[in-house]
Amino acid sequence: MCNHHRCISRRRFLAAAAASGLLAACGQSSTDGGALVPVEIDRGTACALDGMLLADYPGPKAQIHYQGRAEPDFFCDTVEMFSIYLNPEQVRAVRGLFVQDMGKANWDAPVGHWIDARGAWYVVGSKRLGSMGPTIGAFAQETDAKKFAEEFGGKVMRFADVTPDMVVLDGGALHDQRM
């Protein structure tokens, strides 16, 4: 049943199913069924959208935990996470979203420092690049986001203020440095 959202297309369904199978084959450790916690990436963790290895690229990574699935979908870029989450075809119940706090993680080789994506501060339109080019920096603290924006440009926003037109996967609004 699709509720108020449009049904997912066959192609997107097959791509998501294939990505889910790839992630399961990667041997990611699952949570113990207790409190929802982020899963750390390793050298073999692949992006749910394109199979890129997350550890090979700079910038904040993301993960979405879905109801009924032990393993999250990983994304090599926050733009990808937002695009999937904000997509009107999204029909799976989301249990949690996590991003890396770039106020603490090394931009060029981020490891750890996972935070709840919905409570984070974001910098949209900066000059810093992620795996797919322009990306959205994620921060636990507003002061870190403002400092980053002062140094690299961009606009500081909350999770709820990020809109679908800001996360077009072909680059769209992210290439607009006027923000």
Side-chain angles (χ1 to χ4, degrees):
M1 184 167 159
C2 294
N3 297 332
H4 67 281
H5 297 293
R6 292 179 296 182
C7 291
I8 192 165
S9 71
R10 177 182 164 97
R11 184 174 62 173
R12 295 189 110 209
F13 174 78
L14 292 173
S20 296
L22 287 173
L23 286 176
C26 287
Q28 296 296 324
S29 61
S30 64
T31 58
D32 62 5
L36 185 62
V37 296
V39 177
E40 188 55 61
I41 63 174
D42 61 28
R43 296 291 311 157
T45 305
C47 178
L49 292 181
D50 54 25
M52 292 172 54
L53 296 177
L54 275 61
D56 290 347
Y57 298 94
K61 311 303 180 239
Q63 53 186 277
I64 299 178
H65 294 251
Y66 293 105
Q67 190 69 34
R69 289 202 41 220
E71 301 302 322
D73 279 357
F74 291 97
F75 301 93
C76 52
D77 196 292
T78 52
V79 174
E80 292 174 336
M81 183 240 1
F82 272 112
S83 180
I84 294 299
Y85 182 75
L86 297 174
N87 186 330
E89 292 182 2
Q90 181 57 257
V91 295
R92 294 183 286 178
V94 173
R95 291 177 40 222
L97 299 105
F98 295 96
V99 292
Q100 289 178 301
D101 177 6
M102 300 316 288
K104 294 183 179 173
N106 175 343
W107 188 277
D108 295 319
V111 175
H113 303 289
W114 293 99
I115 56 174
D116 183 332
R118 291 181 177 118
W121 294 88
Y122 296 92
V123 178
V124 177
S126 81
K127 294 179 252 175
R128 290 302 304 256
L129 302 178
S131 65
M132 303 302 286
T135 193
I136 298 174
F139 300 88
Q141 302 297 319
E142 181 182 20
T143 53
D144 290 338
K146 286 181 176 180
K147 181 180 174 186
F148 180 87
E150 287 171 12
E151 186 173 349
F152 299 106
K155 181 179 178 183
V156 176
M157 307 178 90
R158 294 308 310 243
F159 181 88
D161 298 325
V162 178
T163 61
D165 65 316
M166 294 175 185
V167 294
V168 176
L169 292 179
D170 66 1
L174 288 175
H175 292 288
D176 185 357
Q177 297 298 316
R178 295 172 290 165
M179 294 182 102

